[in-house]
Amino acid sequence: MLLEKLFLVKQLLHNTRQFHSSKFKRGYDGPGKTVMDIVNLTDTTLLINNCLQVGFKMNDSSLIIGPIAIFPTGILSWNVGSAKDINEASLSLFTILKPPLDILVLGLESIYEYNRITELKKILLKLNMRNEILPVDQACGVYNFLINEGRHVAAGLIPPVIQKIPNKLEISPETKDKKLIEST
Protein backbone atom coordinates (compact mmCIF):
# COMPACT_ATOMS: atom_id res chain seq x y z
CA MET A 1 0.00 0.00 0.00
CA LEU A 2 2.80 2.38 0.93
CA LEU A 3 4.60 1.34 -2.18
CA GLU A 4 1.51 2.18 -4.31
CA LYS A 5 1.22 5.64 -2.70
CA LEU A 6 4.89 6.35 -3.38
CA PHE A 7 4.41 5.26 -6.96
CA LEU A 8 1.37 7.59 -7.32
CA VAL A 9 3.27 10.51 -5.78
CA LYS A 10 6.21 9.83 -8.14
CA GLN A 11 3.84 9.81 -11.15
CA LEU A 12 2.13 12.98 -9.92
CA LEU A 13 5.48 14.81 -9.53
CA HIS A 14 6.64 13.56 -12.93
CA ASN A 15 3.43 14.83 -14.61
CA THR A 16 3.67 18.15 -12.78
CA ARG A 17 7.20 18.72 -14.08
CA GLN A 18 6.04 18.00 -17.63
CA PHE A 19 3.14 20.38 -17.20
CA HIS A 20 5.38 23.21 -16.02
CA SER A 21 7.87 22.70 -18.83
CA SER A 22 5.10 22.79 -21.44
CA LYS A 23 4.60 26.54 -20.99
CA PHE A 24 8.15 27.21 -22.19
CA LYS A 25 7.62 25.73 -25.65
CA ARG A 26 8.22 27.89 -28.72
CA GLY A 27 5.44 30.10 -30.20
CA TYR A 28 2.06 29.07 -31.46
CA ASP A 29 2.23 26.81 -34.52
CA GLY A 30 -1.45 26.14 -35.07
CA PRO A 31 -3.89 27.37 -37.72
CA GLY A 32 -4.36 31.12 -37.99
CA LYS A 33 -0.73 31.82 -37.07
CA THR A 34 0.27 35.34 -38.12
CA VAL A 35 3.21 35.46 -40.55
CA MET A 36 4.98 38.59 -41.79
CA ASP A 37 7.14 38.85 -44.90
CA ILE A 38 9.32 41.86 -45.56
CA VAL A 39 9.20 42.03 -49.34
CA ASN A 40 12.57 43.68 -49.95
CA LEU A 41 14.50 41.26 -47.73
CA THR A 42 12.97 37.86 -48.48
CA ASP A 43 12.25 38.14 -52.17
CA THR A 44 14.76 37.77 -54.99
CA THR A 45 12.75 40.04 -57.28
CA LEU A 46 14.22 43.43 -58.07
CA LEU A 47 12.29 46.43 -56.83
CA ILE A 48 13.05 50.13 -57.20
CA ASN A 49 13.60 51.98 -53.94
CA ASN A 50 14.41 55.41 -55.34
CA CYS A 51 14.36 57.26 -58.64
CA LEU A 52 17.37 59.59 -58.95
CA GLN A 53 18.52 62.07 -61.58
CA VAL A 54 21.41 59.75 -62.56
CA GLY A 55 19.62 56.42 -62.30
CA PHE A 56 17.80 54.13 -59.92
CA LYS A 57 18.48 52.83 -56.41
CA MET A 58 17.41 49.18 -56.11
CA ASN A 59 16.20 47.12 -53.14
CA ASP A 60 19.57 45.32 -52.99
CA SER A 61 21.27 48.72 -52.38
CA SER A 62 22.76 48.86 -55.88
CA LEU A 63 22.71 52.04 -57.93
CA ILE A 64 21.97 51.56 -61.63
CA ILE A 65 23.02 54.52 -63.76
CA GLY A 66 21.13 55.59 -66.87
CA PRO A 67 18.02 54.27 -68.61
CA ILE A 68 17.13 50.67 -67.73
CA ALA A 69 14.97 47.80 -68.87
CA ILE A 70 13.99 46.04 -65.65
CA PHE A 71 12.49 42.60 -65.29
CA PRO A 72 11.51 40.74 -62.09
CA THR A 73 14.93 39.09 -61.77
CA GLY A 74 17.25 41.14 -64.00
CA ILE A 75 18.21 44.56 -65.27
CA LEU A 76 19.60 45.60 -68.63
CA SER A 77 20.96 48.94 -69.75
CA TRP A 78 18.44 50.37 -72.19
CA ASN A 79 20.04 52.24 -75.06
CA VAL A 80 17.76 55.28 -75.27
CA GLY A 81 18.73 58.85 -74.44
CA SER A 82 15.23 60.19 -73.94
CA ALA A 83 11.63 59.32 -74.76
CA LYS A 84 12.20 60.87 -78.19
CA ASP A 85 14.56 57.94 -78.95
CA ILE A 86 12.00 55.23 -78.15
CA ASN A 87 10.96 53.44 -81.33
CA GLU A 88 9.91 50.00 -82.52
CA ALA A 89 13.51 48.75 -82.49
CA SER A 90 14.17 49.86 -78.91
CA LEU A 91 10.90 48.27 -77.75
CA SER A 92 11.59 44.98 -79.56
CA LEU A 93 13.60 43.88 -76.51
CA PHE A 94 10.33 43.48 -74.60
CA THR A 95 8.62 41.43 -77.34
CA ILE A 96 11.00 38.45 -77.31
CA LEU A 97 10.27 37.43 -73.71
CA LYS A 98 8.71 34.05 -72.96
CA PRO A 99 6.14 33.95 -71.45
CA PRO A 100 4.92 37.26 -72.89
CA LEU A 101 4.49 40.22 -70.57
CA ASP A 102 1.18 40.99 -68.90
CA ILE A 103 2.04 44.68 -69.14
CA LEU A 104 4.95 46.94 -70.02
CA VAL A 105 5.42 50.04 -67.89
CA LEU A 106 7.23 52.93 -69.58
CA GLY A 107 8.61 55.66 -67.36
CA LEU A 108 9.45 58.84 -69.28
CA GLU A 109 11.99 61.33 -67.94
CA SER A 110 9.68 64.33 -68.23
CA ILE A 111 6.12 65.16 -69.15
CA TYR A 112 5.57 64.87 -72.90
CA GLU A 113 2.90 66.23 -75.16
CA TYR A 114 -0.10 64.09 -75.94
CA ASN A 115 1.08 63.59 -79.56
CA ARG A 116 4.29 61.80 -78.46
CA ILE A 117 2.38 59.58 -76.04
CA THR A 118 -0.06 58.69 -78.84
CA GLU A 119 2.87 57.76 -81.13
CA LEU A 120 4.29 55.46 -78.46
CA LYS A 121 0.86 53.88 -77.88
CA LYS A 122 0.54 53.16 -81.64
CA ILE A 123 3.96 51.46 -81.68
CA LEU A 124 3.05 49.35 -78.66
CA LEU A 125 -0.32 48.44 -80.20
CA LYS A 126 1.51 47.32 -83.35
CA LEU A 127 3.75 45.14 -81.16
CA ASN A 128 0.63 43.80 -79.39
CA MET A 129 1.79 44.89 -75.93
CA ARG A 130 -0.39 46.11 -73.09
CA ASN A 131 1.24 49.18 -71.61
CA GLU A 132 1.19 52.01 -69.15
CA ILE A 133 3.08 55.24 -69.99
CA LEU A 134 3.78 57.50 -67.02
CA PRO A 135 6.31 59.97 -65.64
CA VAL A 136 9.24 57.90 -64.32
CA ASP A 137 8.66 58.51 -60.60
CA GLN A 138 5.09 57.18 -60.89
CA ALA A 139 6.17 54.34 -63.19
CA CYS A 140 8.58 53.02 -60.53
CA GLY A 141 5.75 52.73 -58.03
CA VAL A 142 3.43 51.05 -60.54
CA TYR A 143 6.18 48.56 -61.48
CA ASN A 144 6.81 47.67 -57.80
CA PHE A 145 3.07 47.27 -57.18
CA LEU A 146 2.55 44.98 -60.17
CA ILE A 147 5.58 42.85 -59.24
CA ASN A 148 4.24 42.42 -55.70
CA GLU A 149 0.89 41.36 -57.19
CA GLY A 150 2.73 38.54 -58.96
CA ARG A 151 2.16 39.89 -62.47
CA HIS A 152 4.64 39.17 -65.28
CA VAL A 153 5.74 42.75 -65.88
CA ALA A 154 8.74 44.67 -67.18
CA ALA A 155 9.55 48.36 -67.29
CA GLY A 156 11.54 50.68 -69.50
CA LEU A 157 12.65 53.58 -67.31
CA ILE A 158 14.52 56.78 -68.15
CA PRO A 159 15.93 58.77 -65.20
CA PRO A 160 14.10 62.06 -64.59
CA VAL A 161 15.32 65.37 -65.86
CA ILE A 162 15.11 68.04 -63.20
CA GLN A 163 13.88 71.19 -64.84
CA LYS A 164 15.20 74.41 -63.37
CA ILE A 165 12.42 76.74 -62.28
CA PRO A 166 13.41 80.39 -62.66
CA ASN A 167 13.57 82.20 -59.35
CA LYS A 168 11.27 85.24 -59.53
CA LEU A 169 13.00 86.81 -56.55
CA GLU A 170 16.35 86.78 -58.29
CA ILE A 171 17.53 90.32 -59.09
CA SER A 172 19.22 90.95 -62.42
CA PRO A 173 22.56 92.86 -62.39
CA GLU A 174 20.99 95.92 -64.10
CA THR A 175 18.18 96.17 -61.53
CA LYS A 176 20.66 95.71 -58.71
CA ASP A 177 22.81 98.65 -59.96
CA LYS A 178 19.71 100.87 -60.31
CA LYS A 179 18.65 100.20 -56.72
CA LEU A 180 22.15 101.00 -55.45
CA ILE A 181 22.14 104.38 -57.29
CA GLU A 182 18.64 105.25 -56.03
CA SER A 183 19.49 104.48 -52.42
CA THR A 184 22.50 106.86 -52.34
Side-chain angles (χ1 to χ4, degrees):
M1 176 90 158
L2 183 61
L3 198 54
E4 286 178 28
K5 285 185 180 182
L6 284 174
F7 182 77
L8 283 172
V9 169
K10 183 180 173 186
Q11 287 288 67
L12 182 62
L13 289 174
H14 182 68
N15 289 343
T16 305
R17 284 186 197 132
Q18 285 181 350
F19 178 73
H20 283 301
S21 67
S22 68
K23 75 176 191 179
F24 295 109
K25 285 185 180 177
R26 295 187 88 187
Y28 176 72
D29 285 328
K33 179 179 178 181
T34 302
V35 178
M36 182 173 80
D37 266 342
I38 300 173
V39 175
N40 282 356
L41 298 178
T42 61
D43 213 354
T44 58
T45 58
L46 292 168
L47 299 173
I48 303 162
N49 281 353
N50 202 354
C51 178
L52 306 169
Q53 206 173 356
V54 294
F56 303 91
K57 184 85 168 170
M58 308 308 291
N59 62 332
D60 62 356
S61 299
S62 60
L63 174 64
I64 310 298
I65 297 175
I68 60 171
I70 184 169
F71 309 94
T73 57
I75 301 173
L76 297 172
S77 179
W78 194 29
N79 193 18
V80 293
S82 70
K84 294 174 185 171
D85 300 330
I86 298 175
N87 55 31
E88 192 171 341
S90 63
L91 291 170
S92 66
L93 165 70
F94 300 103
T95 62
I96 59 174
L97 299 173
K98 297 291 180 206
L101 295 174
D102 291 338
I103 190 167
L104 172 66
V105 179
L106 286 180
L108 307 182
E109 76 277 9
S110 60
I111 298 172
Y112 277 86
E113 293 179 13
Y114 182 74
N115 295 338
R116 179 62 185 147
I117 303 292
T118 307
E119 289 172 21
L120 290 173
K121 292 265 187 193
K122 284 179 185 175
I123 294 169
L124 289 162
L125 182 64
K126 182 179 176 184
L127 296 172
N128 198 24
M129 296 181 72
R130 284 181 236 124
N131 60 77
E132 191 67 45
I133 302 174
L134 301 162
V136 69
D137 53 340
Q138 293 173 14
C140 292
V142 169
Y143 170 80
N144 288 343
F145 181 80
L146 291 171
I147 286 292
N148 284 328
E149 264 190 352
R151 306 276 301 273
H152 188 60
V153 63
L157 305 171
I158 304 169
V161 175
I162 305 299
Q163 297 173 351
K164 187 176 178 182
I165 301 171
N167 187 353
K168 292 182 180 178
L169 299 176
E170 201 171 272
I171 300 172
S172 67
E174 296 128 11
T175 312
K176 190 176 183 180
D177 290 339
K178 252 186 189 175
K179 289 196 177 202
L180 285 173
I181 293 170
E182 290 172 359
S183 66
T184 55

CSV table of all heavy atoms in Angstrom, one decimal, residues 52-99:
chain,number,residue,atom,x,y,z
A,52,LEU,N,16.4,58.5,-59.1
A,52,LEU,CA,17.4,59.6,-59.0
A,52,LEU,C,17.6,60.2,-60.3
A,52,LEU,O,17.3,59.6,-61.3
A,52,LEU,CB,18.7,59.1,-58.4
A,52,LEU,CG,18.6,58.3,-57.1
A,52,LEU,CD1,19.9,57.7,-56.7
A,52,LEU,CD2,18.2,59.3,-56.0
A,53,GLN,N,18.2,61.4,-60.3
A,53,GLN,CA,18.5,62.1,-61.6
A,53,GLN,C,19.5,61.3,-62.4
A,53,GLN,O,19.5,61.4,-63.7
A,53,GLN,CB,19.1,63.5,-61.3
A,53,GLN,CG,18.9,64.5,-62.3
A,53,GLN,CD,19.3,65.9,-61.8
A,53,GLN,OE1,19.7,66.1,-60.7
A,53,GLN,NE2,19.2,66.8,-62.7
A,54,VAL,N,20.4,60.5,-61.8
A,54,VAL,CA,21.4,59.8,-62.6
A,54,VAL,C,21.0,58.3,-62.8
A,54,VAL,O,21.6,57.7,-63.7
A,54,VAL,CB,22.8,59.8,-61.8
A,54,VAL,CG1,23.3,61.1,-61.7
A,54,VAL,CG2,22.6,59.1,-60.4
A,55,GLY,N,20.0,57.8,-62.1
A,55,GLY,CA,19.6,56.4,-62.3
A,55,GLY,C,18.6,56.0,-61.3
A,55,GLY,O,17.8,56.8,-60.8
A,56,PHE,N,18.8,54.7,-60.8
A,56,PHE,CA,17.8,54.1,-59.9
A,56,PHE,C,18.5,53.4,-58.8
A,56,PHE,O,19.4,52.6,-59.0
A,56,PHE,CB,16.9,53.2,-60.7
A,56,PHE,CG,16.2,53.9,-61.9
A,56,PHE,CD1,16.8,53.9,-63.1
A,56,PHE,CD2,15.0,54.5,-61.7
A,56,PHE,CE1,16.2,54.5,-64.2
A,56,PHE,CE2,14.4,55.2,-62.7
A,56,PHE,CZ,15.0,55.2,-64.0
A,57,LYS,N,18.0,53.6,-57.6
A,57,LYS,CA,18.5,52.8,-56.4
A,57,LYS,C,17.6,51.6,-56.2
A,57,LYS,O,16.4,51.8,-56.1
A,57,LYS,CB,18.4,53.8,-55.2
A,57,LYS,CG,19.0,53.2,-54.0
A,57,LYS,CD,20.5,53.4,-53.9
A,57,LYS,CE,21.0,53.0,-52.5
A,57,LYS,NZ,22.3,52.9,-52.4
A,58,MET,N,18.2,50.4,-56.2
A,58,MET,CA,17.4,49.2,-56.1
A,58,MET,C,17.3,48.7,-54.7
A,58,MET,O,18.0,49.1,-53.8
A,58,MET,CB,18.1,48.1,-57.0
A,58,MET,CG,18.4,48.6,-58.4
A,58,MET,SD,17.0,49.3,-59.3
A,58,MET,CE,16.0,47.8,-59.5
A,59,ASN,N,16.4,47.7,-54.5
A,59,ASN,CA,16.2,47.1,-53.1
A,59,ASN,C,17.4,46.3,-52.6
A,59,ASN,O,17.5,46.1,-51.4
A,59,ASN,CB,15.0,46.2,-53.1
A,59,ASN,CG,15.0,45.0,-54.0
A,59,ASN,OD1,15.7,45.1,-55.0
A,59,ASN,ND2,14.3,44.0,-53.7
A,60,ASP,N,18.3,46.0,-53.5
A,60,ASP,CA,19.6,45.3,-53.0
A,60,ASP,C,20.7,46.3,-52.8
A,60,ASP,O,21.9,46.0,-52.7
A,60,ASP,CB,20.0,44.2,-54.0
A,60,ASP,CG,20.3,44.8,-55.3
A,60,ASP,OD1,20.2,46.0,-55.6
A,60,ASP,OD2,20.8,44.0,-56.2
A,61,SER,N,20.3,47.6,-52.6
A,61,SER,CA,21.3,48.7,-52.4
A,61,SER,C,22.2,49.0,-53.6
A,61,SER,O,23.1,49.8,-53.4
A,61,SER,CB,22.1,48.5,-51.1
A,61,SER,OG,21.3,48.3,-50.0
A,62,SER,N,21.9,48.5,-54.7
A,62,SER,CA,22.8,48.9,-55.9
A,62,SER,C,22.2,50.1,-56.5
A,62,SER,O,21.0,50.4,-56.4
A,62,SER,CB,22.8,47.7,-56.9
A,62,SER,OG,21.5,47.4,-57.3
A,63,LEU,N,23.1,50.8,-57.2
A,63,LEU,CA,22.7,52.0,-57.9
A,63,LEU,C,22.9,51.7,-59.4
A,63,LEU,O,24.1,51.4,-59.8
A,63,LEU,CB,23.5,53.2,-57.5
A,63,LEU,CG,23.4,54.5,-58.3
A,63,LEU,CD1,21.9,55.1,-58.1
A,63,LEU,CD2,24.4,55.6,-57.9
A,64,ILE,N,21.9,51.8,-60.2
A,64,ILE,CA,22.0,51.6,-61.6
A,64,ILE,C,21.9,52.9,-62.3
A,64,ILE,O,21.0,53.7,-62.1
A,64,ILE,CB,20.8,50.7,-62.1
A,64,ILE,CG1,20.7,49.4,-61.2
A,64,ILE,CG2,21.0,50.3,-63.6
A,64,ILE,CD1,21.9,48.5,-61.2
A,65,ILE,N,22.9,53.2,-63.1
A,65,ILE,CA,23.0,54.5,-63.8
A,65,ILE,C,22.5,54.5,-65.2
A,65,ILE,O,22.8,53.5,-65.9
A,65,ILE,CB,24.5,55.0,-63.8
A,65,ILE,CG1,24.9,55.2,-62.3
A,65,ILE,CG2,24.6,56.3,-64.5
A,65,ILE,CD1,26.4,55.5,-62.1
A,66,GLY,N,21.7,55.5,-65.5
A,66,GLY,CA,21.1,55.6,-66.9
A,66,GLY,C,19.8,54.9,-67.1
A,66,GLY,O,19.3,54.3,-66.1
A,67,PRO,N,19.3,54.9,-68.3
A,67,PRO,CA,18.0,54.3,-68.6
A,67,PRO,C,18.1,52.8,-68.5
A,67,PRO,O,19.2,52.2,-68.8
A,67,PRO,CB,17.8,54.6,-70.1
A,67,PRO,CG,18.6,55.9,-70.3
A,67,PRO,CD,19.8,55.7,-69.4
A,68,ILE,N,17.1,52.1,-68.0
A,68,ILE,CA,17.1,50.7,-67.7
A,68,ILE,C,15.9,50.0,-68.3
A,68,ILE,O,14.8,50.6,-68.4
A,68,ILE,CB,17.3,50.3,-66.2
A,68,ILE,CG1,16.1,50.9,-65.4
A,68,ILE,CG2,18.6,50.8,-65.7
A,68,ILE,CD1,16.1,50.4,-64.0
A,69,ALA,N,16.1,48.7,-68.6
A,69,ALA,CA,15.0,47.8,-68.9
A,69,ALA,C,15.0,46.8,-67.7
A,69,ALA,O,16.0,46.1,-67.5
A,69,ALA,CB,15.2,47.1,-70.2
A,70,ILE,N,14.0,46.9,-66.9
A,70,ILE,CA,14.0,46.0,-65.6
A,70,ILE,C,12.9,45.0,-65.7
A,70,ILE,O,11.8,45.2,-66.2
A,70,ILE,CB,13.8,46.9,-64.4
A,70,ILE,CG1,13.9,46.1,-63.1
A,70,ILE,CG2,12.5,47.7,-64.4
A,70,ILE,CD1,14.0,46.9,-61.8
A,71,PHE,N,13.3,43.8,-65.3
A,71,PHE,CA,12.5,42.6,-65.3
A,71,PHE,C,12.5,42.1,-63.8
A,71,PHE,O,13.3,42.5,-63.0
A,71,PHE,CB,13.1,41.5,-66.2
A,71,PHE,CG,13.3,42.1,-67.6
A,71,PHE,CD1,14.6,42.5,-68.0
A,71,PHE,CD2,12.3,42.1,-68.6
A,71,PHE,CE1,14.8,43.0,-69.2
A,71,PHE,CE2,12.6,42.7,-69.8
A,71,PHE,CZ,13.8,43.1,-70.1
A,72,PRO,N,11.6,41.2,-63.5
A,72,PRO,CA,11.5,40.7,-62.1
A,72,PRO,C,12.8,40.3,-61.5
A,72,PRO,O,13.1,40.4,-60.3
A,72,PRO,CB,10.5,39.6,-62.1
A,72,PRO,CG,9.6,40.0,-63.3
A,72,PRO,CD,10.5,40.6,-64.3
A,73,THR,N,13.7,39.6,-62.3
A,73,THR,CA,14.9,39.1,-61.8
A,73,THR,C,16.2,39.6,-62.5
A,73,THR,O,17.3,39.1,-62.3
A,73,THR,CB,14.9,37.6,-61.8
A,73,THR,OG1,14.7,37.2,-63.2
A,73,THR,CG2,13.9,37.0,-61.0
A,74,GLY,N,16.1,40.6,-63.3
A,74,GLY,CA,17.2,41.1,-64.0
A,74,GLY,C,17.1,42.5,-64.5
A,74,GLY,O,15.9,43.0,-64.6
A,75,ILE,N,18.2,43.2,-64.8
A,75,ILE,CA,18.2,44.6,-65.3
A,75,ILE,C,19.2,44.6,-66.5
A,75,ILE,O,20.3,44.1,-66.4
A,75,ILE,CB,18.7,45.5,-64.2
A,75,ILE,CG1,17.8,45.5,-63.0
A,75,ILE,CG2,18.7,47.0,-64.7
A,75,ILE,CD1,18.3,46.3,-61.8
A,76,LEU,N,18.7,45.3,-67.5
A,76,LEU,CA,19.6,45.6,-68.6
A,76,LEU,C,19.7,47.1,-68.8
A,76,LEU,O,18.8,47.8,-68.6
A,76,LEU,CB,19.0,45.0,-69.9
A,76,LEU,CG,18.9,43.4,-69.9
A,76,LEU,CD1,18.1,43.0,-71.1
A,76,LEU,CD2,20.3,42.8,-69.8
A,77,SER,N,20.8,47.5,-69.3
A,77,SER,CA,21.0,48.9,-69.7
A,77,SER,C,20.1,49.1,-71.0
A,77,SER,O,20.2,48.3,-71.9
A,77,SER,CB,22.4,49.3,-70.0
A,77,SER,OG,22.5,50.6,-70.4
A,78,TRP,N,19.3,50.1,-71.0
A,78,TRP,CA,18.4,50.4,-72.2
A,78,TRP,C,19.0,51.5,-73.0
A,78,TRP,O,19.2,52.6,-72.5
A,78,TRP,CB,17.0,50.7,-71.7
A,78,TRP,CG,15.9,50.6,-72.7
A,78,TRP,CD1,15.9,49.8,-73.8
A,78,TRP,CD2,14.7,51.3,-72.7
A,78,TRP,NE1,14.7,50.0,-74.5
A,78,TRP,CE2,14.0,50.9,-73.8
A,78,TRP,CE3,14.2,52.2,-71.8
A,78,TRP,CZ2,12.7,51.4,-74.1
A,78,TRP,CZ3,12.9,52.7,-72.1
A,78,TRP,CH2,12.2,52.3,-73.2
A,79,ASN,N,19.3,51.3,-74.2
A,79,ASN,CA,20.0,52.2,-75.1
A,79,ASN,C,19.1,53.3,-75.7
A,79,ASN,O,18.9,53.3,-76.9
A,79,ASN,CB,20.8,51.5,-76.2
A,79,ASN,CG,21.8,52.4,-76.8
A,79,ASN,OD1,22.2,53.4,-76.3
A,79,ASN,ND2,22.3,52.0,-78.0
A,80,VAL,N,18.5,54.1,-74.8
A,80,VAL,CA,17.8,55.3,-75.3
A,80,VAL,C,18.2,56.5,-74.5
A,80,VAL,O,18.5,56.4,-73.3
A,80,VAL,CB,16.2,55.1,-75.1
A,80,VAL,CG1,15.7,54.0,-76.0
A,80,VAL,CG2,15.9,54.8,-73.7
A,81,GLY,N,18.3,57.6,-75.1
A,81,GLY,CA,18.7,58.8,-74.4
A,81,GLY,C,17.6,59.6,-73.8
A,81,GLY,O,17.7,60.1,-72.7
A,82,SER,N,16.4,59.5,-74.5
A,82,SER,CA,15.2,60.2,-73.9
A,82,SER,C,14.0,59.5,-74.6
A,82,SER,O,14.2,58.6,-75.4
A,82,SER,CB,15.2,61.7,-74.3
A,82,SER,OG,15.0,61.8,-75.7
A,83,ALA,N,12.8,59.9,-74.2
A,83,ALA,CA,11.6,59.3,-74.8
A,83,ALA,C,11.5,59.6,-76.3
A,83,ALA,O,10.8,58.8,-77.0
A,83,ALA,CB,10.4,59.8,-74.0
A,84,LYS,N,12.2,60.6,-76.7
A,84,LYS,CA,12.2,60.9,-78.2
A,84,LYS,C,12.9,59.8,-79.0
A,84,LYS,O,12.7,59.6,-80.2
A,84,LYS,CB,12.9,62.2,-78.5
A,84,LYS,CG,12.1,63.4,-77.9
A,84,LYS,CD,12.8,64.7,-78.1
A,84,LYS,CE,12.1,65.8,-77.4
A,84,LYS,NZ,12.8,67.0,-77.3
A,85,ASP,N,13.8,59.0,-78.3
A,85,ASP,CA,14.6,57.9,-78.9
A,85,ASP,C,13.8,56.6,-78.9
A,85,ASP,O,14.3,55.6,-79.5
A,85,ASP,CB,15.9,57.8,-78.3
A,85,ASP,CG,16.7,59.1,-78.4
A,85,ASP,OD1,16.6,59.8,-79.3
A,85,ASP,OD2,17.6,59.3,-77.4
A,86,ILE,N,12.7,56.5,-78.2
A,86,ILE,CA,12.0,55.2,-78.2
A,86,ILE,C,11.3,55.0,-79.5
A,86,ILE,O,10.6,55.8,-80.0
A,86,ILE,CB,11.0,55.2,-77.0
A,86,ILE,CG1,11.7,55.4,-75.7
A,86,ILE,CG2,10.2,54.0,-77.0
A,86,ILE,CD1,10.7,55.6,-74.5
A,87,ASN,N,11.6,53.8,-80.1
A,87,ASN,CA,11.0,53.4,-81.3
A,87,ASN,C,10.7,51.9,-81.3
A,87,ASN,O,10.9,51.3,-80.3
A,87,ASN,CB,11.8,53.9,-82.5
A,87,ASN,CG,13.2,53.3,-82.4
A,87,ASN,OD1,13.5,52.2,-81.8
A,87,ASN,ND2,14.2,54.0,-82.9
A,88,GLU,N,10.2,51.4,-82.4
A,88,GLU,CA,9.9,50.0,-82.5
A,88,GLU,C,11.1,49.1,-82.2
A,88,GLU,O,11.0,48.1,-81.6
A,88,GLU,CB,9.3,49.7,-83.9
A,88,GLU,CG,8.7,48.3,-84.0
A,88,GLU,CD,8.0,48.1,-85.3
A,88,GLU,OE1,7.6,49.1,-86.0
A,88,GLU,OE2,7.7,46.9,-85.6
A,89,ALA,N,12.3,49.5,-82.7
A,89,ALA,CA,13.5,48.7,-82.5
A,89,ALA,C,13.9,48.7,-81.0
A,89,ALA,O,14.3,47.7,-80.5
A,89,ALA,CB,14.7,49.3,-83.3
A,90,SER,N,13.8,49.8,-80.3
A,90,SER,CA,14.2,49.9,-78.9
A,90,SER,C,13.2,49.1,-78.0
A,90,SER,O,13.5,48.6,-77.0
A,90,SER,CB,14.3,51.3,-78.4
A,90,SER,OG,13.1,52.0,-78.5
A,91,LEU,N,11.9,49.0,-78.5
A,91,LEU,CA,10.9,48.3,-77.7
A,91,LEU,C,10.9,46.8,-78.1
A,91,LEU,O,10.2,46.0,-77.4
A,91,LEU,CB,9.5,48.9,-78.0
A,91,LEU,CG,9.3,50.3,-77.4
A,91,LEU,CD1,8.0,50.9,-77.9
A,91,LEU,CD2,9.3,50.2,-75.9
A,92,SER,N,11.6,46.4,-79.1
A,92,SER,CA,11.6,45.0,-79.6
A,92,SER,C,12.2,44.1,-78.5
A,92,SER,O,11.9,42.9,-78.4
A,92,SER,CB,12.3,44.8,-80.9
A,92,SER,OG,13.7,45.1,-80.7
A,93,LEU,N,13.0,44.6,-77.6
A,93,LEU,CA,13.6,43.9,-76.5
A,93,LEU,C,12.5,43.2,-75.6
A,93,LEU,O,12.6,42.1,-75.2
A,93,LEU,CB,14.4,44.8,-75.7
A,93,LEU,CG,14.9,44.4,-74.3
A,93,LEU,CD1,15.9,43.3,-74.4
A,93,LEU,CD2,15.4,45.5,-73.5
A,94,PHE,N,11.4,44.0,-75.5
A,94,PHE,CA,10.3,43.5,-74.6
A,94,PHE,C,9.4,42.5,-75.3
A,94,PHE,O,8.6,41.8,-74.6
A,94,PHE,CB,9.5,44.7,-74.1
A,94,PHE,CG,10.3,45.6,-73.3
A,94,PHE,CD1,10.7,46.9,-73.9
A,94,PHE,CD2,10.7,45.4,-72.0
A,94,PHE,CE1,11.5,47.8,-73.1
A,94,PHE,CE2,11.5,46.3,-71.3
A,94,PHE,CZ,11.9,47.5,-71.8
A,95,THR,N,9.5,42.3,-76.6
A,95,THR,CA,8.6,41.4,-77.3
A,95,THR,C,9.1,40.0,-77.4
A,95,THR,O,8.4,39.1,-77.7
A,95,THR,CB,8.4,41.9,-78.8
A,95,THR,OG1,9.7,41.9,-79.5
A,95,THR,CG2,7.8,43.3,-78.8
A,96,ILE,N,10.4,39.8,-77.1
A,96,ILE,CA,11.0,38.5,-77.3
A,96,ILE,C,10.9,37.6,-76.0
A,96,ILE,O,11.4,36.5,-76.0
A,96,ILE,CB,12.5,38.6,-77.8
A,96,ILE,CG1,13.3,39.3,-76.8
A,96,ILE,CG2,12.5,39.1,-79.2
A,96,ILE,CD1,14.8,39.4,-77.2
A,97,LEU,N,10.3,38.1,-75.0
A,97,LEU,CA,10.3,37.4,-73.7
A,97,LEU,C,9.3,36.3,-73.8
A,97,LEU,O,8.2,36.4,-74.3
A,97,LEU,CB,9.9,38.4,-72.6
A,97,LEU,CG,10.9,39.6,-72.4
A,97,LEU,CD1,10.3,40.5,-71.4
A,97,LEU,CD2,12.2,39.1,-71.9
A,98,LYS,N,9.6,35.2,-73.1
A,98,LYS,CA,8.7,34.0,-73.0
A,98,LYS,C,8.6,33.7,-71.5
A,98,LYS,O,9.6,33.6,-70.8
A,98,LYS,CB,9.2,32.8,-73.7
A,98,LYS,CG,9.4,33.0,-75.2
A,98,LYS,CD,8.0,33.1,-75.8
A,98,LYS,CE,8.2,33.3,-77.3
A,98,LYS,NZ,7.2,34.0,-78.0
A,99,PRO,N,7.5,33.7,-70.9
A,99,PRO,CA,6.1,34.0,-71.4
A,99,PRO,C,6.0,35.4,-71.7
A,99,PRO,O,6.7,36.2,-71.1
A,99,PRO,CB,5.2,33.5,-70.3
A,99,PRO,CG,6.0,33.6,-69.1
A,99,PRO,CD,7.4,33.3,-69.5
